[in-house]
Amino acid sequence: AGGYRRSLPTIEVGKCIVTGTDQKLYATVEEHPGKLICTATRNDGSVEGPWECEMTDAALLAVAKQGGFWSYVAAVAFQVRTYFPVNGLVLNNYLTTLPMKKGLSSSAAVCVLVARSFNMVYNLKMTVRMEMEMAFLGEILTPSRCGRMDQCCAFGSIPHVMTFDGDVLMTEAISPPA
């Protein structure tokens, strides 16, 4: 329903129940004065990087628009930088148990990881929903076209109901029956 309700409001509001998985991305992160420096370990143990990019709008946006492995990282950094006064990051994704390119929203998980990393390092006081929004805005800057539901990995293993009404996304934690 989501976006379709913008042009056809008679469509019912969309809802889904989401829950996380025990598969994750693990990382260490620290501030950098002017660069985004990232290393990623894939779920097969292979290592990508270290990759570096200047923390400028032009450099981050160029990488985001190119697509490819680092586009998600650059795109989220661009979005966070647009809304918050941040410098760079050194992000070391030292372990990944989430399979890549298997339809499990691994690109969304990377985007949430980057948004959460900026939030933690710079104490931005973003809520989980704001981290999800930064991740979504970043991912749609890349050639990838994900939906808002993909960022539900930000909730971890807590089940949620997500409600989609035009451009409005509402979320509510739920408890399974006893």
Side-chain angles (χ1 to χ4, degrees), residues 1-3 14-21 103-109 111-112 128-129 131-133 135-137 139-140 145-156 158-171:
K15 288 189 179 229
C16 67
I17 296 174
V18 297
T19 191
T21 173
L104 297 172
S105 302
S106 57
S107 61
C111 291
V112 168
V128 170
R129 279 287 293 114
E131 291 173 346
M132 291 170 66
E133 188 68 13
F136 174 72
L137 292 173
E139 187 150 1
I140 62 173
R145 291 295 175 245
C146 71
R148 288 190 178 273
M149 189 174 73
D150 293 338
Q151 280 72 35
C152 70
C153 60
F155 294 131
I158 301 167
H160 278 71
V161 172
M162 296 178 80
T163 303
F164 305 90
D165 187 2
D167 291 325
V168 176
L169 169 63
M170 294 168 283
T171 65

Side-chain angles (χ1 to χ4, degrees), residues 30 47-48 62-63 71 74-75 86 99 102 105 111 113 120 122 126 131 134 139 141 168 171:
E30 62 187 62
V47 176
E48 299 282 338
V63 173
S71 66
V86 296
K102 300 292 183 192
S105 302
C111 291
L113 173 66
M120 292 173 67
Y122 291 99
M126 283 194 274
E131 291 173 346
M134 290 292 110
E139 187 150 1
L141 268 183
V168 176
T171 65

Side-chain angles (χ1 to χ4, degrees), residues 46-88:
S46 62
V47 176
E48 299 282 338
W51 168 84
E52 293 186 17
C53 183
E54 293 293 328
M55 279 292 291
T56 66
D57 289 347
L60 294 168
L61 196 53
V63 173
K65 295 288 187 185
Q66 281 175 1
F69 191 78
W70 300 110
S71 66
Y72 304 104
V73 175
V76 175
F78 173 85
Q79 289 295 351
V80 171
R81 186 175 141 72
T82 298
Y83 293 96
F84 297 98
V86 296
N87 294 317

